[in-house]
Amino acid sequence: DRFTSAGIPEDHVSFERDTFTFVHPGPSSEFLADFRDFYGPTMNAYAAAAADGRQEELQSKLEALFAEHNTSPNKESTSIAATFLRVTVTR
């Protein structure tokens, strides 16, 4: 709807599920630290959790989530697949 309302014909817009695999040479807890320090939405989540006194709870839950989704056979490295919707617009 967003693209067609901007004047792009519907048949010029396609969607497909795709996967990006995050690879980090360290453990998942270290990868989470990078997200906490440098990825805006995660930084905002930590700031909001800190304001509510829930930063430790958020940290614990995200550590568990990152560890659960880490498919690297070596737990001293991280490999996490993330599915996203790829939107392609052609002229």
Side-chain angles (χ1 to χ4, degrees):
D1 289 342
R2 209 172 259 187
F3 293 109
T4 56
S5 67
I8 298 171
E10 189 173 323
D11 62 338
H12 288 227
V13 181
S14 63
F15 306 89
E16 76 178 277
R17 286 188 175 272
D18 204 346
T19 302
F20 178 82
T21 302
F22 291 94
V23 177
H24 181 76
S28 59
S29 59
E30 187 179 282
F31 186 49
L32 171 58
D34 287 345
F35 265 73
R36 181 191 64 227
D37 295 341
F38 301 110
Y39 183 61
T42 307
M43 294 166 67
N44 291 341
Y46 272 91
D52 289 344
R54 298 177 66 190
Q55 189 168 351
E56 287 182 26
E57 178 184 354
L58 176 63
Q59 178 71 26
S60 176
K61 288 183 177 185
L62 287 178
E63 283 178 356
L65 182 68
F66 274 52
E68 176 186 345
H69 289 277
N70 183 9
T71 60
S72 173
N74 172 1
K75 294 309 174 190
E76 291 305 311
S77 64
T78 304
S79 179
I80 298 176
T83 302
F84 65 96
L85 184 63
R86 181 182 300 275
V87 180
T88 304
V89 179
T90 59
R91 291 183 160 215

